[in-house]
Amino acid sequence: MPKHGGSEVFRITGARQGLADDVRGRQRRYVISMTVRTLSVIAAAVLWNVERHVAIVALALGILLPYVAVVIANAGRETAPSLPSTFVPAPVRPALGATEASADGDTERPYGRN
């Protein structure tokens, strides 16, 4: 049963994510980033005397990742410009009983049946 007289169709894919889901997703991304940071600092400490170049890269990752994690965790609830429009015009359907007159005056049945 159409609520708006059948002339408006709304697309749910354009709706924003719920606040609880948004916060949960940002917390999950932050925890994952901090876990990677912790593992990189531990790897830097373990590899310092074994493979110094890898240890320096891991230490740099451990130093830079907290800033990146905070920026990513705080970036939420912005309007995404790439979302589709939430309004979709109703499709126009041809009438089933419509007939067309041919050039010689005969009438044709719909869909080419004679």
Side-chain angles (χ1 to χ4, degrees), residues 51-72:
E51 194 69 38
R52 181 98 18 133
H53 298 294
V54 176
I56 291 173
V57 170
L59 188 62
L61 182 66
I63 290 171
L64 295 176
L65 200 55
Y67 172 76
V68 173
V70 168
V71 169
I72 290 172

Side-chain angles (χ1 to χ4, degrees), residues 2-43:
K3 292 184 178 182
H4 298 287
S7 63
E8 294 181 17
V9 178
F10 292 94
R11 193 181 293 178
I12 192 65
T13 56
R16 288 174 52 172
Q17 186 178 21
L19 183 60
D21 292 335
D22 182 54
V23 170
R24 189 178 314 116
R26 288 190 283 145
Q27 287 175 342
R28 185 179 312 125
R29 287 190 299 270
Y30 183 78
V31 167
I32 290 170
S33 298
M34 288 294 101
T35 303
V36 170
R37 181 219 182 208
T38 302
L39 293 174
S40 67
V41 169
I42 291 171

Side-chain angles (χ1 to χ4, degrees), residues 42-108:
I42 291 171
V46 169
L47 295 174
W48 189 258
N49 290 329
V50 178
E51 194 69 38
R52 181 98 18 133
H53 298 294
V54 176
I56 291 173
V57 170
L59 188 62
L61 182 66
I63 290 171
L64 295 176
L65 200 55
Y67 172 76
V68 173
V70 168
V71 169
I72 290 172
N74 288 334
R77 306 297 290 180
E78 280 91 17
T79 305
S82 63
L83 289 177
S85 172
T86 57
F87 177 74
V88 178
V92 178
R93 295 185 180 133
L96 292 177
T99 59
E100 295 181 11
S102 66
D104 58 350
D106 293 337
T107 58
E108 294 181 9

